Amino acid sequence: MTSPASGRPPRADALRNRAKVLAAAEEVFAVQGTSASTEEVARKAGVGIGTVFRHFPTKESLLEAVLVALLERLAAEARELRSAADPGAAFFGFFSRVVSRAAAKQAVTEALAEAGVDARRATGAAGPGLRAALGALLERAQEAGAVRRDIGAGQVMALLAGLSYAAGRAGAREDVLRIAFDGLRPHACRDQAAARR
Amino acid sequence: MTSPASGRPPRADALRNRAKVLAAAEEVFAVQGTSASTEEVARKAGVGIGTVFRHFPTKESLLEAVLVALLERLAAEARELRSAADPGAAFFGFFSRVVSRAAAKQAVTEALAEAGVDARRATGAAGPGLRAALGALLERAQEAGAVRRDIGAGQVMALLAGLSYAAGRAGAREDVLRIAFDGLRPHACRDQAAARR
DNA sequence: CTACAATCGGAGTCCGTGCTCCGTATGAGA
DNA sequence: TCTCATACGGAGCACGGACTCCGATTGTAG
């Protein structure tokens, strides 16, 4: 798709414009939500509408490209934390950072929602990628006794999507995260002995 | 608004149609989300589009009426639970019921989101009404030692909105609720002595 | 039963938006 | 520099959805 075996390599300005469009789309969708018009994206990118539609034949394909980019960036961040010194801090820190970013960017919330269920549609392989990276983070945190053991990556993804949504609207981000984190930790009395050793 | 001092009382069929439109709108928005077309609502109600727009001069006003009705119904349910025998069960049961309903009805989630922040716009007095009723439930549960004391109605509303969103997408409702509930309870070790007496 | 004002119905208007088309501009190989 | 396939720009088309208007209908007071 990006470099088919058919024709010659794409022209330099074509590549430049594609990048400009993608960046503009990311910003526009982040601020106005995914219902922003394609024309708005073109204006922000400083190109004509025709150019946008040549690179992304459909609005949906443009949206998909943006969401995939966002998810892949999150997955990359998660992967970097795999070897962190404190697995618990890594897990909770990542969680918190994602929610904060979602509060600022409408599109992140929608990307998470898509990734959560619609593994079939859009977001293609990016959803599972994030899920896997998050799963690794989760497992290490569980082994370190920082997170309860009776949950999986799916539950965490769902929680992530939900709290991102809540954080974007209400201003109670800190408190809501605190509650969720307490719920994610092992039960103090029941499990603390097991966690300690 | 419902009975202005201006003209005579409204005709019987007008009242009937208004109710039919409201009911149809609630169902349509619940299934298709709030972006469903007004024509769809009219069809479902078995009336013409003109009739819809006479009763609700704007699509937004129709939407607002639906959301207010949903919120008021929730608030009424919460109020009925004020004198329940087990305050903890009443609180968590209500919470769980709301999230389940939101999973089935798109519109409920959006109503909660609106009520959470946009107290200014739409939903007018219904948002604060729910907040108050939920606050009463929360306080009783806290006094009974079933819920931690360092949170307020605002935090619970935010959590409610977020989990409703998550439940509507992912199928992990049960698990996510379990985590949230554990986070809402007092810390077992730190607080259980205080809660017991 | 009659008369009339309130109400209904839905064709038609207006506008925003996704997407196409083609004349013009431009990068890159010879 | 010359050539031309590639890429650009944006006017225009098609479509759907919110909202209007007015002739037909119907509840209701007298």
Side-chain angles (χ1 to χ4, degrees), chain A residues 159 163 166 176 179, chain B residues 74 77-78 81 87-103 108 112 130 134 137-138 141 147 151-165 167 173-174 176-184:
Chain A
L159 214 69
L163 296 190
V176 171
I179 296 170
Chain B
L74 289 182
E77 275 181 48
L81 289 171
F91 176 80
F92 287 115
F94 177 73
F95 198 109
S96 170
R97 218 169 315 130
V98 171
V99 172
S100 297
R101 195 172 315 168
V108 173
L112 289 172
L130 211 207
L134 191 62
L137 233 49
L138 173 64
V147 173
I151 60 175
Q155 280 77 50
V156 176
M157 288 279 286
L159 213 68
L160 211 44
L163 296 191
S164 294
Y165 182 74
R173 181 166 68 235
E174 301 286 326
V176 170
L177 275 180
R178 217 177 59 232
I179 296 169
F181 286 177
D182 285 347
L184 283 169

Side-chain angles (χ1 to χ4, degrees), chain A residues 11 17 47-48 50-51 54-55:
Chain A
R11 247 164 57 176
N17 277 330
V47 304
T51 301
R54 185 160 337 91
H55 289 293

Side-chain angles (χ1 to χ4, degrees), chain A residues 66-110:
Chain A
V66 170
L67 297 189
V68 166
L70 286 175
L71 290 178
E72 278 179 350
R73 218 171 302 155
L74 290 181
E77 275 181 49
R79 257 178 250 118
E80 274 180 22
L81 289 171
R82 269 184 310 191
S83 51
D86 182 342
F91 175 79
F92 287 115
F94 178 72
F95 198 108
S96 168
R97 218 169 314 129
V98 170
V99 172
S100 298
R101 196 172 315 168
K105 292 190 173 189
Q106 265 272 339
V108 173
T109 303
E110 304 188 34

